[in-house]
Amino acid sequence: LIPVSDPRLLNKEAQMQYRFVGVFIGVCIRSSIIQRLKLAPLVWNFLATGELTVNDIFEIDNQYKHLIKSLDEVLNNKHNSEEEFNELFDLRFVVTNSRGEEVPLTQRGRFEKVTLANCSDFISMANEFRLNEIRSNLEEMREGLWENLNIKPPAFISGKLLENATCGTRELTYEALKKIITFNNVPYNQQQFVLKVIKKFSSDERSQFLRFITGRVMLPSLEIFQDENATIGSNGSINKKIDDFIIKVDQMKGQVNKLPTA
């Protein structure tokens, strides 16, 4: 997902909404309550660095990338003539925005033809438009995030690090979930039934299982969950780092047909 405003929103409303998204990301990071926010890499990179380039746009729009690269290639070939350019391209000063709508780049953009002579102007204006249509929304998100965290963006921060702190790992593995499950007076063979079912779950199903029990969709963003050597201690905690995040499974005796509760 990328931050493109609904045109029906007033500018002030859009600003408030995107600032709220930044605040929400800050809350996720501070509380370690992981959320599956499927934002494009350019969003995370901008939140971290404040930088946005046309290559970021290329990553989310292959059609636009192909157009601009093709135009650049023709411009760099000094042997192409105006006639050859017209045979290859039939363009006007119009660009397709992120919502799939055609937008004129000049006052007469829908009628102004792109030629070999003005092609570089078209590329420059198109790139600037595509960058500016999301830049202000990204800036609102970035301000909301770092204002909520109450720090200035550290020099070492990266988009991937921010995404990991907010969303955790993309996959919820059986091994990670198994580490925090303990059984209370449950026979060994029934313990194996539970673990066997969880192992057969897909990552999404494990996420739903975790949500049913804890309200979370992913495990906290703690390195202990990625540690292959982490074990549950005698007091039921994992290396005493996350005492409050253990799933305890109890047996409902004498209630054969009752559905699970959490």
Side-chain angles (χ1 to χ4, degrees), residues 85-102:
F85 182 89
N86 291 332
E87 288 179 8
L88 291 169
F89 301 100
D90 183 21
L91 299 171
R92 300 294 184 270
F93 270 74
V94 172
V95 68
T96 302
N97 66 15
S98 296
R99 298 178 63 84
E101 304 160 338
E102 289 191 344

Side-chain angles (χ1 to χ4, degrees), residues 87-135:
E87 288 179 8
L88 291 169
F89 301 100
D90 183 21
L91 299 171
R92 300 294 184 270
F93 270 74
V94 172
V95 68
T96 302
N97 66 15
S98 296
R99 298 178 63 84
E101 304 160 338
E102 289 191 344
V103 180
L105 295 171
T106 64
Q107 193 169 1
R108 297 185 65 256
R110 297 189 188 278
F111 309 100
E112 187 176 354
K113 188 173 176 59
V114 178
T115 65
L116 187 62
N118 64 22
C119 183
S120 59
D121 293 335
F122 171 79
I123 292 173
S124 178
M125 294 169 71
N127 286 343
E128 194 63 25
F129 175 86
R130 290 300 303 270
L131 290 170
N132 287 337
E133 70 171 335
I134 60 174
R135 195 194 303 272

Side-chain angles (χ1 to χ4, degrees), residues 236-247:
S237 67
I238 300 179
N239 291 358
K240 298 183 180 179
K241 285 192 177 182
I242 46 170
D243 296 338
D244 61 339
F245 208 82
I246 298 296
I247 296 174

Side-chain angles (χ1 to χ4, degrees), residues 223-240:
E223 72 281 356
I224 195 67
F225 291 115
Q226 321 307 325
D227 184 358
E228 294 294 328
N229 299 315
T231 55
I232 298 177
S234 57
N235 64 345
S237 67
I238 300 179
N239 291 358
K240 298 183 180 179

